[in-house]
Amino acid sequence: NSVDIQRHGKVHRLAFGSFLCDQPNFVEVVDWSMGEDCTKVAALQHYFPPTAVRFLPTTKHVLTVGDYVRIWDVDEQCQTSLIDIKVDKSVRHRPCCPITSVDWFEDCVTEVALGDVYGSVFFCDINQAEVKEWFTLTDSGASQFPDGHQVSDVKMGHSGMAACATTDRNVFFLDCRDPN
């Protein structure tokens, strides 16, 4: 269902998640070198199917999303954080579940962008477990109103810029520095 790869020298580390209906899901992490068999590094139980898997800049930690944002310690084979991103109660919005995609600013890995099935993109601080800014992708562009396009992928750039692809073949560009 989802995969990420990171390279360290001649070794590639892959993390991939399952999508199994009515069964426990998982994230597996393997090491692989050219001409050699894969070596399983970790098998992590994941209640909700992981919709996206990303390595943090070190291969020691994997970030997964689905129903929540989870951070895993690969070496210890355990979940180190379960982050329930909260949206300000004064803002009219549906829950951020399931989360369909995740990426982070190259400048700051504690700030992530999350896309959800309702067409919202959240810019969050994972250390503070809070939403800094959010947009709903509508036909008139990015706004802060419900009923947007389902986000299939989000990619962060430098300086607060993001590109979002939707399931209906639209692409939106967002600047989280200026919500207008």
Side-chain angles (χ1 to χ4, degrees):
N1 185 42
S2 57
V3 67
D4 196 20
I5 187 168
Q6 202 171 55
R7 184 177 176 185
H8 281 277
K10 295 182 179 184
V11 176
H12 293 78
R13 182 161 277 187
L14 290 87
F16 53 91
S18 66
F19 182 78
L20 304 170
C21 294
D22 303 321
Q23 295 180 37
N25 284 274
F26 59 87
V27 172
E28 285 194 354
V29 180
V30 298
D31 283 346
W32 172 73
S33 296
M34 289 290 239
E36 296 182 23
D37 291 335
C38 290
T39 304
K40 185 188 279 189
V41 176
L44 312 166
Q45 292 293 320
H46 207 282
Y47 171 73
F48 195 89
T51 54
V53 176
R54 298 288 180 270
F55 280 108
L56 293 174
T58 68
T59 56
K60 180 179 166 89
H61 291 95
V62 171
L63 184 140
T64 64
V65 296
D67 52 346
Y68 293 97
V69 177
R70 291 178 166 87
I71 299 174
W72 304 84
D73 183 316
V74 173
D75 296 337
E76 298 297 321
Q77 296 195 36
C78 66
Q79 180 177 303
T80 59
S81 300
L82 175 66
I83 303 167
D84 185 5
I85 301 294
K86 300 289 186 195
V87 178
D88 184 343
K89 301 276 191 244
S90 65
V91 177
R92 194 182 85 178
H93 182 73
R94 293 178 235 174
C96 179
C97 179
I99 302 166
T100 56
S101 58
V102 64
D103 198 18
W104 55 81
F105 290 115
E106 294 175 13
D107 319 12
C108 180
V109 296
T110 62
E111 294 184 14
V112 299
L114 306 169
D116 74 9
V117 296
Y118 301 119
S120 294
V121 176
F122 298 87
F123 295 98
C124 308
D125 183 316
I126 58 174
N127 286 340
Q128 302 298 318
E130 69 180 13
V131 175
K132 295 177 110 182
E133 191 64 58
W134 68 274
F135 301 88
T136 298
L137 306 177
T138 66
D139 290 329
S140 59
S143 70
Q144 292 190 333
F145 301 100
D147 301 323
H149 301 269
Q150 182 175 339
V151 178
S152 59
D153 201 10
V154 60
K155 180 66 179 162
M156 302 302 298
H158 292 284
S159 305
M161 299 298 294
C164 304
T166 64
T167 56
D168 54 359
R169 295 186 259 165
N170 285 301
V171 176
F172 293 84
F173 295 97
L174 304 174
D175 184 347
C176 74
R177 300 166 303 177
D178 179 12
N180 299 316

